[in-house]
Amino acid sequence: MNSESGKHRVRAKLETRAQELTERLELQSVRSCYICRTCTSSCPVTFIDPRFNPLAILRMVLYGKIEEVLNSDFLWLCTSCYSCQERCPQEIPIADIMTKLKNKAFKLGNAPVGVRAQMDIIKKAGRTYPLDDFDNKKRAKAGLPELPTSCDVVKTLFESETESLK
Amino acid sequence: MTDGRVNRSVLVVGNGPYCFKVAGELASVDSVSLAVLREARLDEMEQKPNLVELLMPVELLGFSGQPGEFRAVFRQTNGSHAERTYGFVVVALESEWISTLNKWSVVEDSRITSLSKLEKYVNEYLGNIGPGDKVVFISGFKQDSYPVSQEKIVNFAAAVREKTGAATYVLMEQFKVAQEGLERAFRLARELGVVFVKFSQTIPEVRVGPKECTVQYMDEAMGQAVNISPQLLIFEDEACPPPEGRYISDLLGINLGNQGFLQGDFLFNLPIYTNRTGIFVVGSGKGPISEREAEREAEAVAEEVAKLVCSFDKEVVGPFPTLNENECIHCLTCYRSCPHKAISLYPGQRSPQISPVACRGCGICVESCPRRAIDFEHGESGISYYDIDKEIDHIVYEDSRDVPRIAVFACVNSAYDAYLLAKSRGDRLQARCSVLKVPCGGRVEAAAVIKALGSGVDGVAILTCHENSCKSVHGASRCRKRIAAVKEMMTKCGVKEEAILFGTVAPGSAPQFVELINRFSLRLQGGDGSSIIPGNAGSGGEAR
Amino acid sequence: MQKEVIIVIGGGITGLTVALELAQLGKHPLVVERGPLLGGRSASLPCKATDRCLKCNNCLVEDTLRQIKYDSPFEFMTHTTISDIRREAESWYVTLETGPFFIDWEKCTDCGACYEACARLGASGVVRGASINQHPFFGIDQKACSCLQKGADPACVKECPEGAINILTRPQTRQVKAHGIVVATGYTPYVPPEKNRFGYGRLPNVITTQEADEMLRESGAVTRPSDGRVPQRVAFVQCVGSRDRRIGREYCSRICCGYSLRLALHMIHKYPDVDITIFYMDIQNFGKDFEKYYSEVKDKAKLVRGLPGDFYALDEGKISVSYFSEEQQKNVAQPFDLVLLTIGLSPQEENPDLANMLGLGINEDGFLRPSQADASAVVVAGTARGPMDVAECICDAKSAAFKMANFLEGS
């Protein structure tokens, strides 16, 4: 009986690690999925690049293959359009789950180059598209109000966030 | 014919605990006897029904008679014979759940079992299962699965997951949730962490080695192969018809359905009827149903019996065939052709006897009698039946060259209603129709069709119910075959068979009725290139 | 002895079967129907036979209606609602409210003069039954009555040769002392909300199965509403309004899979070239011999596992439907001529009120559940209890009649 329970402990350990991660990232809601495929068939990304398949990602999380997802590049194809989440008949916050996974992957340093470059621009300029005086001249011509060319508040936000990550 | 003393007792025939429940419901209506074909456990019964007689186990050797006077012969285990008379019979046989392990080429052991075995020895099987172990349920693939058995799987899987902490997988073809509360139970099991896998393109592979067994499959939703080595592997059982079903249905003269389940494949048998008046089938013997549904059927059959008892007190109204003993030549054609087994032969009686209770007035016996010894008596009910022959004599047509003249034999259960509906809707028929109401397509004789054709019409249409929704079981199919034979005969005689149409139409289908008639009319006018109406100048058809 | 009246609420197949059974047992049922006709939704089910009957069960309804039409075995009231129910000692005092139209069914001969009069005015206030076995065959839908709206004297009242139609200035009330009540109020078909991804209500060729039913019954074929043409490519979308927690319907409506498979087989039989795709989650078999239809459909139509995503308008009334293709392992968009949304069964809106009045419970899905106490004086039957098909409703009605009769014998 003792060796039996020892075996259980070893096997349980493997399962627990994935479970822990699921719980820490609050992904338990993936369990509700009953495979209706509404998320995938509603996904505009799957149309263009079938490597991104929301249902497949939910299943991978369910099977405890979270690390595989975190190491993947397809995770980053999600555009956060929320079509899947809006339509899920089991009310699974699919797009939120994708964001959580992306955040975790970013922390692990798994974000693709493009995402990191964009991140740097936001950090520096406070925007994904940095503005300069030329842009403001064009805006003035169109009768639009001037916008600040730097956004220091965002910088501060990032600094405090980076602090907390350390 | 009955001698006036009708028996109101009920015989329930069963093979398990369910028949006791049915007997219990019926006992509140009338005196009930129970014949159990196998030894069943009585201790499971909450309340023992109040029975007149319990025969268990018993063999049913013979069966004859009509509602109100069914005679059954039994042989008991001690070899003694018993003969009893009953008013009604309720067949409450249960289906069986058979292990599918052999279909998967695996042998039962401590790790591999069937759902029913798990149910029986749940503690033994789950005793060694703990956290980190894997348990796999397999549902479907090799057999049909039903909500009743999947409910068990869902509940077991949830219990295994919750109580042992084992990783639990359920591999299934379809998730059958068509039962109250099952969708919710399914979700609760998932939320506990049970992994459900659905298959539509592939099937899982099971390998059993001396040390471990493995289940390999493709998770189609994930698009990845999965390999599990479960400590416990459970297969769903297959629902099989009651083994006694075939024998009992032959003996009682009731039709058997698909795959040997009870109740013939006829619409009007639903929900609990058979082709015989006074004999009912309830419960899972007709196919797996939930306990609640089975309970509902037990109550419904009690209602049916109570109603029939009431009807015995009333005078029989409505069309009822009578047999002219002087004409009868005892060929027994009527006895063989009656779909409701309402015609009996009694020793000492000169001619077959027609039971007024069992007869449903289809007129198939009238049609089949070579001596025309059987005729309908007009009843008092709202629907009266015509003597087809006389009616045909009365078909008088005005001369019209515009549209064909068609005589329509319309079954009162379907086509006649469709005709009336079309008429009340003001639908336009491209033909001048004389519609003859017939009690069933099976009533229409070949001679009547030919006679109608000879009465000066351009075409004769015989419109009946669809096969297997015919109230007289084989009335529509008999009619179809007969019309085909008439057509063949006509062709051999050199007469165009296109002047005859056989069609099926439902009572509410006015558009189909109109379409059938109009297409037939077009055919008669040579719309399809061959006019058969003499003198019709539509298209160079042959004039005779 | 005084007549022991049993009020049967609802004149659909369940209520009528209960009443018929009770009448045959010598009891006195009174059917109360709020609509203009008897027969309910099941009376207008269209036949879906191929060259064989596929057991859509409509003929069972016709058979019941036929018996009632010819034997008139019980009393009934149409255009009637229940305004109050009181319990006193062993009896129920039920206040019935009829109006504004009151039709004397003993006078009515189903001649149709009212229908013609209404049609001449271009209105659709007088409705016609779907089955010839419905008596009354004509009734008045007061919401659609143009005369009442204009404040004019209804033409149907004037035209009725029997003087059977009356218009009441005030609803007529009648109090009935009842010994038992049977609730057979049925279900409501699910209607997709205004904003739905299927394009229902926006794209003319996206219709519900209920609309397809009406079309099939009325004209004999399911055609495209936009141009009346027979569709070449048809999509069925299962589970619309069922198995969906988002809209509070966490249950399977049970009858829809069988419905779609039958309709698909019927359409293929009628138009062998039609190309049918059924989008589904799980095929639900229930009912006898169902598995047979499933395997036949598998041969003759395309079954796609998974619900589709987007529905866009294309030229010529076509609809683009996107779904995940298992073979291609990617999302594809396919054009269809007609999309049929297989809608589920919803509980009646009035269920909570009714439950309150009669001391009944409501189950988790919103359907009625008999209360434990005093169960036998009030019986619930048919789809008021939950989704079921016609054959099951008939069985349930018989069991309800049995319970009610037992209760009356006992009391």
Side-chain angles (χ1 to χ4, degrees):
Chain A
M1 200 63 210
N2 257 350
S3 70
E4 269 292 311
S5 54
K7 218 164 61 190
H8 285 153
R9 236 176 288 135
V10 177
R11 283 198 214 111
K13 222 173 182 177
L14 284 166
E15 205 197 324
T16 328
R17 201 156 37 175
Q19 228 168 45
E20 241 175 48
L21 203 52
T22 311
E23 271 162 40
R24 197 137 38 85
L25 296 177
E26 297 176 339
L27 305 176
Q28 295 95 323
S29 59
V30 298
R31 289 173 167 182
S32 299
C33 173
Y34 63 172
I35 323 178
C36 70
R37 292 183 200 265
T38 306
C39 49
T40 297
S41 61
S42 300
C43 180
V45 179
T46 316
F47 251 97
I48 298 158
D49 193 336
R51 280 181 306 159
F52 181 75
N53 181 330
L55 173 62
I57 294 172
L58 296 187
R59 295 297 288 179
M60 287 168 83
V61 173
L62 185 67
Y63 276 99
K65 299 182 172 201
I66 304 183
E67 299 205 0
E68 197 181 321
V69 178
L70 296 177
N71 287 322
S72 73
D73 47 3
F74 59 73
L75 173 65
W76 296 89
L77 293 171
C78 172
T79 61
S80 308
C81 75
Y82 279 76
S83 292
C84 50
Q85 188 159 334
E86 279 297 303
R87 293 174 180 179
C88 175
Q90 291 291 337
E91 301 182 300
I92 304 170
I94 305 172
D96 292 345
I97 286 171
M98 296 300 162
T99 306
K100 281 176 189 166
L101 289 166
K102 280 190 267 189
N103 278 337
K104 180 67 187 173
F106 188 86
K107 282 175 195 167
L108 294 171
N110 293 347
V113 186
V115 173
R116 262 180 282 146
Q118 207 167 32
M119 169 96 177
D120 287 339
I121 296 170
I122 296 172
K123 264 188 189 169
K124 259 188 234 144
R127 296 175 192 284
T128 47
Y129 175 76
L131 290 171
D132 56 22
D133 294 339
F134 178 69
D135 296 290
N136 270 329
K137 252 184 220 166
K138 277 202 290 184
R139 287 180 65 87
K141 258 190 199 168
L144 292 166
E146 193 177 316
L147 287 171
T149 48
S150 81
C151 207
D152 289 333
V153 193
V154 177
K155 246 185 258 176
T156 324
L157 269 175
F158 269 105
E159 270 154 22
S160 60
E161 175 70 7
T162 327
E163 280 304 309
S164 75
L165 275 180
K166 279 172 191 167
Chain B
M1 210 151 335
T2 59
D3 53 3
R5 285 180 293 115
V6 284
N7 190 321
R8 290 163 182 208
S9 63
V10 187
L11 170 69
V12 178
V13 181
N15 60 359
Y18 177 61
C19 64
F20 287 91
K21 199 166 234 166
V22 175
E25 290 294 350
L26 284 158
S28 67
V29 185
D30 252 292
S31 50
V32 176
S33 299
L34 183 56
V36 192
L37 306 176
R38 279 183 243 165
E39 193 66 62
R41 282 168 59 189
L42 261 174
D43 51 318
E44 288 171 9
M45 297 296 301
E46 295 160 25
Q47 225 180 339
K48 278 178 197 164
N50 191 12
L51 297 172
V52 171
E53 187 173 31
L54 172 66
L55 300 156
M56 180 175 79
V58 77
E59 220 180 309
L60 191 55
L61 286 184
F63 188 82
S64 63
Q66 294 296 341
E69 44 156 7
F70 286 127
R71 266 187 286 272
V73 182
F74 300 100
R75 181 167 59 202
Q76 283 167 293
T77 29
N78 61 13
S80 69
H81 285 225
E83 196 179 328
R84 302 273 186 281
T85 308
Y86 302 101
F88 316 96
V89 181
V90 176
V91 181
L93 294 170
E94 289 172 63
S95 61
E96 290 197 321
W97 295 99
I98 306 280
S99 162
T100 56
L101 263 62
N102 59 339
K103 290 192 175 184
W104 290 89
S105 312
V106 293
V107 182
E108 190 182 313
D109 63 18
S110 60
R111 309 158 299 170
I112 303 165
T113 190
S114 65
L115 190 60
S116 45
K117 274 279 164 64
L118 175 71
E119 220 176 340
K120 222 168 175 179
Y121 305 107
V122 63
N123 293 332
E124 285 83 343
Y125 278 114
L126 296 180
N128 280 334
I129 304 295
D133 279 342
K134 292 187 173 71
V135 177
V136 173
F137 290 85
I138 294 184
S139 155
F141 304 106
K142 309 274 184 185
Q143 88 284 358
D144 297 341
S145 51
Y146 296 87
V148 246
S149 59
Q150 291 211 341
E151 183 185 26
K152 282 183 197 161
I153 291 180
V154 168
N155 291 339
F156 270 121
V160 168
R161 175 72 194 161
E162 200 174 15
K163 292 196 180 122
T164 69
T168 312
Y169 298 83
V170 181
L171 315 186
M172 52 190 12
E173 241 185 317
Q174 310 275 349
F175 196 86
K176 312 272 191 185
V177 286
Q179 195 174 298
E180 193 185 328
L182 200 44
E183 180 81 57
R184 202 166 284 112
F186 178 24
R187 172 174 55 85
L188 292 177
R190 293 199 305 274
E191 284 176 357
L192 283 169
V194 178
V195 176
F196 287 88
V197 192
K198 280 192 218 172
F199 294 78
S200 43
Q201 316 280 318
T202 56
I203 61 167
E205 244 175 76
V206 177
R207 285 203 201 98
V208 180
K211 279 197 172 161
E212 60 171 24
C213 55
T214 56
V215 179
Q216 255 180 22
Y217 65 88
M218 179 75 189
D219 187 293
E220 295 170 11
M222 182 164 65
Q224 288 186 22
V226 179
N227 209 330
I228 304 174
S229 302
Q231 278 67 44
L232 184 59
L233 179 57
I234 301 121
F235 293 92
E236 186 184 35
D237 299 304
E238 180 177 11
C240 294
E244 303 91 346
R246 195 167 289 276
Y247 172 74
I248 290 293
S249 63
D250 279 352
L251 194 66
L252 266 54
I254 56 174
N255 293 330
L256 206 59
N258 213 13
Q259 298 159 8
F261 281 103
L262 287 164
Q263 201 181 44
D265 179 18
F266 294 97
L267 177 78
F268 284 99
N269 281 349
L270 298 175
I272 51 169
Y273 305 112
T274 66
N275 51 308
R276 298 199 64 178
T277 306
I279 304 182
F280 305 93
V281 281
V282 291
S284 63
K286 298 181 288 161
I289 53 171
S290 73
E291 227 167 86
R292 268 186 69 173
E293 286 168 278
E295 208 171 297
R296 211 184 289 166
E297 292 192 352
E299 287 162 353
V301 82
E303 163 66 16
E304 283 299 326
V305 168
K307 209 171 71 181
L308 269 180
V309 167
C310 275
S311 78
F312 278 172
D313 298 334
K314 290 179 198 146
E315 225 173 289
V316 176
V317 291
F320 178 64
T322 48
L323 192 137
N324 180 347
E325 294 205 357
N326 296 330
E327 285 295 325
C328 176
I329 53 163
H330 316 286
C331 66
L332 305 188
T333 309
C334 57
Y335 170 79
R336 280 178 278 121
S337 64
C338 175
H340 306 115
K341 303 255 185 299
I343 302 177
S344 309
L345 302 162
Y346 294 105
Q349 297 264 18
R350 227 178 83 84
S351 335
Q353 301 294 312
I354 306 170
S355 160
V357 184
C359 172
R360 302 188 193 173
C362 66
I364 289 177
C365 56
V366 180
E367 183 275 331
S368 69
C369 179
R371 296 285 298 170
R372 300 201 145 206
I374 309 174
D375 201 4
F376 264 123
E377 249 175 33
H378 289 230
E380 289 299 312
S381 87
I383 307 167
S384 67
Y385 294 90
Y386 296 102
D387 178 340
I388 293 175
D389 252 13
K390 278 182 212 144
E391 200 59 30
I392 290 165
D393 287 339
H394 287 118
I395 301 177
V396 182
Y397 297 94
E398 287 167 42
D399 189 45
S400 165
R401 292 211 158 205
D402 300 342
V403 288
R405 295 157 299 176
I406 300 172
V408 184
F409 290 92
C411 169
V412 76
N413 295 310
S414 53
Y416 192 73
D417 278 353
Y419 156 71
L420 290 179
L421 184 61
K423 206 164 93 173
S424 75
R425 281 159 44 115
D427 291 344
R428 277 192 57 83
L429 287 175
Q430 308 291 331
R432 294 161 55 78
C433 291
S434 282
V435 182
L436 287 99
K437 184 160 74 169
V438 291
C440 171
R443 165 70 182 85
V444 183
E445 310 133 24
V449 176
I450 293 165
K451 193 169 178 186
L453 206 56
S455 74
V457 294
D458 299 311
V460 178
I462 303 94
L463 305 181
T464 72
C465 306
H466 294 91
E467 280 176 42
N468 72 334
S469 71
C470 172
K471 274 182 104 173
S472 327
V473 184
H474 52 234
S477 58
R478 276 176 74 102
C479 183
R480 177 177 51 78
K481 286 175 199 154
R482 190 175 320 121
I483 300 304
V486 169
K487 283 182 167 189
E488 199 189 318
M489 194 176 73
M490 287 173 67
T491 313
K492 277 182 186 158
C493 299
V495 184
K496 280 241 173 193
E497 50 115 331
E498 280 88 347
I500 298 180
L501 172 79
F502 172 82
T504 50
V505 63
S509 300
Q512 276 83 353
F513 178 85
V514 174
E515 198 184 319
L516 271 171
I517 293 293
N518 287 354
R519 238 196 268 150
F520 184 40
S521 167
L522 206 65
R523 193 169 95 189
L524 292 172
Q525 288 175 81
D528 62 350
S530 57
S531 171
I532 53 166
I533 298 175
N536 190 309
S539 55
E542 51 195 78
R544 284 191 308 271
Chain C
M1 203 181 84
Q2 209 189 342
K3 273 205 296 190
E4 289 189 334
V5 175
I6 304 125
I7 300 251
V8 180
I9 312 174
I13 183 64
T14 308
L16 294 179
T17 307
V18 172
L20 185 60
E21 297 286 323
L22 286 171
Q24 283 167 335
L25 291 176
K27 311 285 180 231
H28 304 282
L30 167 65
V31 174
V32 179
E33 167 60 43
R34 65 174 166 190
L37 302 171
L38 292 185
R41 297 185 196 287
S42 61
S44 52
L45 283 172
C47 168
K48 298 182 192 73
T50 56
D51 44 13
R52 283 173 70 75
C53 164
L54 298 185
K55 293 189 186 149
C56 74
N57 289 348
N58 173 254
C59 292
L60 292 179
V61 182
E62 296 275 0
D63 203 48
T64 308
L65 292 174
R66 199 182 292 123
Q67 271 186 65
I68 294 167
K69 180 179 176 177
Y70 289 105
D71 297 343
S72 341
F74 52 80
E75 205 188 333
F76 64 89
M77 291 170 79
T78 56
H79 297 105
T80 302
T81 51
I82 291 173
S83 58
D84 187 45
I85 299 177
R86 259 182 322 112
R87 181 92 210 244
E88 254 173 53
E90 294 298 300
S91 306
W92 300 88
Y93 290 88
V94 183
T95 312
L96 304 171
E97 212 166 88
T98 307
F101 284 96
F102 172 80
I103 301 174
D104 188 339
W105 297 123
E106 280 175 11
K107 285 185 187 166
C108 171
T109 60
D110 289 342
C111 71
C114 52
Y115 187 81
E116 281 158 26
C118 190
R120 272 199 298 276
L121 294 174
S124 52
V126 178
V127 290
R128 189 170 56 191
S131 159
I132 196 69
N133 293 312
Q134 273 169 296
H135 173 75
F137 188 54
F138 298 96
I140 294 152
D141 176 7
Q142 54 211 50
K143 279 188 217 122
C145 173
S146 64
C147 297
L148 273 192
Q149 278 160 17
K150 283 185 225 147
D153 279 345
C156 52
V157 176
K158 278 183 282 180
E159 293 289 325
C160 179
E162 309 294 330
I165 309 174
N166 300 292
I167 177 132
L168 307 163
T169 44
R170 208 162 0 123
Q172 192 183 62
T173 57
R174 170 179 166 190
Q175 201 183 55
V176 179
K177 183 183 168 191
H179 285 75
I181 293 176
V182 180
V183 184
T185 46
Y187 70 96
T188 308
Y190 175 77
V191 181
E194 202 178 323
K195 281 178 186 161
N196 62 79
R197 73 174 197 269
F198 313 108
Y200 177 74
R202 186 163 49 81
L203 307 175
N205 295 330
V206 176
I207 60 171
T208 65
T209 41
Q210 198 203 356
E211 288 158 338
D213 260 1
E214 281 162 17
M215 223 190 273
L216 189 56
R217 180 92 187 195
E218 191 58 30
S219 69
V222 179
T223 51
R224 300 209 317 168
S226 69
D227 53 13
R229 299 228 306 257
V230 173
Q232 276 299 298
R233 302 178 95 170
V234 181
F236 284 81
V237 184
Q238 297 302 111
C239 295
V240 176
S242 304
R243 303 187 69 184
D244 192 337
R245 273 168 87 193
R246 208 167 32 100
I247 55 166
R249 285 183 171 78
E250 196 178 11
Y251 58 87
C252 164
S253 290
R254 301 181 76 234
I255 64 167
C256 349
C257 279
Y259 175 94
S260 292
L261 299 191
R262 288 185 180 94
L263 185 58
L265 286 177
H266 176 82
M267 289 171 87
I268 293 165
H269 173 74
K270 190 149 190 192
Y271 306 107
D273 292 337
V274 70
D275 187 349
I276 289 178
T277 306
I278 300 174
F279 297 98
Y280 73 102
M281 259 194 271
D282 300 282
I283 293 291
Q284 304 299 330
N285 66 325
F286 98 99
K288 212 166 147 51
D289 302 322
F290 182 85
E291 227 31 69
K292 256 191 331 203
Y293 305 136
Y294 177 43
S295 45
E296 200 180 336
V297 172
K298 271 199 281 194
D299 289 343
K300 293 178 175 169
K302 189 172 159 193
L303 283 155
V304 175
R305 192 148 207 179
L307 301 180
D310 295 311
F311 296 72
Y312 292 126
L314 297 172
D315 289 346
E316 294 169 342
K318 285 190 168 64
I319 303 116
S320 154
V321 177
S322 73
Y323 65 94
F324 183 77
S325 157
E326 198 101 35
E327 296 92 48
Q328 299 176 50
Q329 283 294 307
K330 64 172 189 184
N331 273 2
V332 294
Q334 203 185 314
F336 288 96
D337 298 317
L338 184 71
V339 173
L340 291 169
L341 306 178
T342 313
I343 51 170
L345 272 56
S346 303
Q348 293 280 25
E349 257 175 52
E350 297 85 354
N351 281 358
D353 293 340
L354 210 54
N356 218 353
M357 273 202 277
L358 295 167
L360 298 167
I362 298 258
N363 75 11
E364 281 167 297
D365 303 332
F367 292 95
L368 292 170
R369 183 170 50 195
S371 67
Q372 292 309 307
D374 206 9
S376 36
V378 181
V379 179
V380 187
T383 49
R385 290 198 343 176
M388 51 179 94
D389 74 1
V390 170
E392 283 181 310
C393 279
I394 291 174
C395 187
D396 201 35
K398 285 175 194 284
S399 101
F402 174 70
K403 283 183 205 152
M404 183 51 74
N406 263 1
F407 167 73
L408 294 175
E409 301 291 324
S411 69

